[in-house]
Amino acid sequence: MLSTTPPSDRDEAARAVLRRNDRGGFTVPNGRVYPFQWNWDSAFVALGFATFDLDRAWRELETLFEGQWDDGMVPHIVFRAPADGYYPGPEAWGIQRQPLTSGISQPPVAATAARVLHGLSGGDSSRIRALVPKLFASHRWWHETRDPDGTGLVTIVHPWESGRDNSPDWDEPLANVIPQVDVAHLRKDLGHVDAAHRPTHDFYNRVMTLVEEAKALDWEGGAVARKLSFRVCDLGIQSILLRADRDLLTLAEELGFTEEAGALRGWIARGERAMPRLKGPDGLYRSLDLRSGRLSEAVTCAAYLPLYARTALQEDALALKHHLEATRAAAGFSVASSDPRDRRFDATRYWRGPVWLMMNRMIADGLAAYGLTDEANLLRRDSGDLVRQNGFWEYFDPSDGTGCGGPDFSWTAAMWLSWAGSEGNGQALTTL
Ligand code: DGY
């Protein structure tokens, strides 16, 4: 049943979530489940802040880049202040640098968010000028360190890098990681969230084995990219990076970063040439296990992201429109993170079924760019209804919209403010 909260109250409630999760220049996704700064969360959160506090929005990206490594990598977690209640904390990663960070990255949404903030900043380009070299270094890290042979396909070495942690996309590559640790007793997430909404113990044992492998290589970027026992081209990161390359190229051209613009053009061309290798026989895109050379069997929500990257063909858009119709008929709310008709689908378990609002926003952006405006509007409506009916949950059961994971989640509030909420925030950003 739709709640009767007046619209302006819901906007205010979303702003209150962001303010509550603000730890002074950086925002925690949710104070209990995730008490530190997360990489792609911050990029989406910046879009939310941009609807009412542009200075604070810039700050979110700036603090994220304070965690950037010398080789350009932007870590997936910056442990800015000590906090209990999360595993694996800084000691599990064993990285000696300040601020403390994890050792892997996450989807590079930051340049796309920075371009949006720049567009809202009038004539003042001081903050974007300071950020462009850092963004460029992070893109170079993906295109060089994580594509050591220059194939145009970038590598992830850990499922958490994809941000779609326990997606069926990783079932096969992860099956080849032999668990060397048992960390079940160390987990803290199950103290905050229903176990049926979270990854399994077996998953944790395998992914923490990868952390141990990287530690044994002293986290040296080149060695990690070539030697870890999980090496996959994630369709999500590949697409999000190509889209962010385009946004960064626009910024570089406008601001006179000529050399950087040249390198970006080269990376974009190389990445675009490689995209057909990710297409399955049914015309839908998938992730590629770089160790076995096999495409993922599953078709997940990442399948739509080549639209967001603007690397898809018009015929791909048509195939995705049909796929969306079929999965919607099976699920209820869109976009389910994996196909509800697939045996691997699980309606409440994290990335094996639930709907995520920031994913919907990127998908809707892509659909609209290929002329599929009805479908784009549908995703916006579904996203708005999920919040209206249930609140700012981390993710939602696609069958009935029940909120899952953690409540009062920063990026869900940010997506409401900047996109899904149609009510007068005066600064609605319809597309990225
Ligand atoms: C977690 O701990 O579940 C996070 O998603 C890892 O980034």
Side-chain angles (χ1 to χ4, degrees):
M1 203 175 76
L2 288 186
S3 95
T4 51
T5 316
S8 55
D9 286 1
R10 198 168 288 107
D11 286 354
E12 188 43 38
R15 289 189 282 268
V17 167
L18 292 185
R19 287 197 201 97
R20 252 197 323 275
N21 290 342
D22 183 354
R23 295 291 181 273
F26 74 96
T27 308
V28 296
N30 162 297
R32 280 184 306 133
V33 195
Y34 305 106
F36 304 104
Q37 183 172 26
W38 258 261
N39 180 332
W40 73 328
D41 291 71
S42 276
F44 289 112
V45 157
L47 299 178
F49 274 120
T51 64
F52 64 99
D53 186 345
L54 193 52
D55 172 63
R56 182 60 189 78
W58 280 113
R59 211 50 217 122
E60 190 71 29
L61 295 184
E62 289 160 355
T63 54
L64 174 65
F65 277 80
E66 284 169 16
Q68 185 168 32
W69 286 20
D70 298 340
D71 66 0
M73 184 186 78
V74 183
H76 99 297
I77 308 175
V78 187
F79 299 106
R80 303 201 60 103
D84 290 331
Y86 181 76
Y87 172 82
E91 56 300 326
W93 297 90
I95 288 154
Q96 308 302 325
R97 50 174 303 123
Q98 287 298 329
L100 292 165
T101 70
S102 70
I104 56 174
S105 196
Q106 241 183 356
V109 185
T112 302
R115 185 178 171 196
V116 173
L117 302 196
H118 177 54
L120 296 170
S121 291
D124 179 5
S125 62
S126 53
R127 295 178 96 163
I128 190 66
R129 274 187 191 284
L131 209 49
V132 164
K134 298 175 188 177
L135 290 164
F136 180 76
S138 74
H139 285 225
R140 179 189 290 285
W141 176 82
W142 277 113
H143 287 292
E144 293 185 352
T145 306
R146 286 304 183 85
D147 183 11
D149 299 320
T151 63
L153 297 177
V154 299
T155 311
I156 62 166
V157 299
H158 195 293
W160 285 343
E161 289 199 308
S162 71
R164 298 181 298 117
D165 300 8
N166 65 337
S167 167
D169 283 343
W170 323 133
D171 287 2
E172 225 183 285
L174 213 49
N176 294 322
V177 178
I178 313 301
Q180 306 289 344
V181 293
D182 184 353
V183 299
H185 61 292
L186 299 173
R187 289 180 68 174
K188 303 207 173 148
D189 54 325
L190 302 183
H192 313 299
V193 176
D194 185 340
H197 297 181
R198 292 288 303 174
T200 61
H201 288 326
D202 179 65
F203 173 86
Y204 263 79
N205 290 339
R206 288 175 201 268
V207 299
M208 290 312 293
T209 295
L210 293 168
V211 171
E212 293 305 318
E213 287 182 15
K215 267 195 215 163
L217 297 170
D218 288 329
W219 293 104
E220 198 282 308
V224 164
R226 285 194 187 276
K227 296 192 178 156
L228 254 58
S229 49
F230 180 97
R231 295 193 302 280
V232 176
C233 175
D234 163 24
L235 175 59
I237 291 226
Q238 176 79 10
S239 304
I240 290 169
L241 177 63
L242 280 171
R243 165 58 185 267
D245 283 338
R246 294 187 200 284
D247 289 314
L248 189 53
L249 174 59
T250 302
L251 290 168
E253 283 171 341
E254 182 190 325
L255 299 166
F257 288 89
T258 316
E259 217 173 291
E260 288 82 354
L264 284 159
R265 279 187 214 104
W267 293 330
I268 293 168
R270 194 168 73 181
E272 280 180 339
R273 277 197 303 275
M275 285 302 286
R277 291 181 53 199
L278 302 181
K279 209 188 252 195
D282 57 359
L284 297 174
Y285 290 90
R286 291 163 160 81
S287 295
L288 176 67
D289 184 342
L290 296 169
R291 286 186 67 194
S292 68
R294 287 163 59 96
L295 286 174
S296 165
E297 279 178 17
V299 176
T300 59
C301 57
Y304 299 92
L305 293 178
L307 303 173
Y308 171 75
R310 313 292 193 262
T311 57
L313 309 173
Q314 203 58 46
E315 72 200 38
D316 301 331
L318 202 61
L320 288 165
K321 173 179 151 65
H322 294 316
H323 184 68
L324 181 64
E325 279 162 10
T327 50
R328 188 175 172 76
F333 288 94
S334 291
V335 173
S337 45
S338 76
D339 189 333
R341 300 162 300 174
D342 188 309
R343 66 186 155 77
R344 288 159 283 217
F345 174 81
D346 183 336
T348 59
R349 200 178 292 281
Y350 217 39
W351 285 93
R352 301 184 76 85
V355 177
W356 298 72
L357 255 61
M358 78 303 171
M359 190 58 75
N360 273 6
R361 178 167 182 187
M362 291 189 288
I363 295 170
D365 169 275
L367 291 167
Y370 282 76
L372 299 172
T373 24
D374 287 350
E375 287 74 11
N377 288 337
L378 185 86
L379 294 201
R380 186 175 167 142
R381 207 172 50 240
D382 270 8
S383 302
D385 285 348
L386 287 168
V387 167
R388 278 185 278 270
Q389 291 174 23
N390 301 290
F392 303 106
W393 284 86
E394 184 179 3
Y395 44 95
F396 301 88
D397 179 336
S399 61
D400 62 3
T402 303
C404 299
D408 294 338
F409 220 81
S410 297
W411 67 13
T412 307
M415 291 302 94
W416 170 268
L417 286 169
S418 62
W419 174 65
S422 52
E423 300 105 342
N425 56 41
Q427 232 184 41
L429 310 166
T430 48
T431 57
L432 285 174

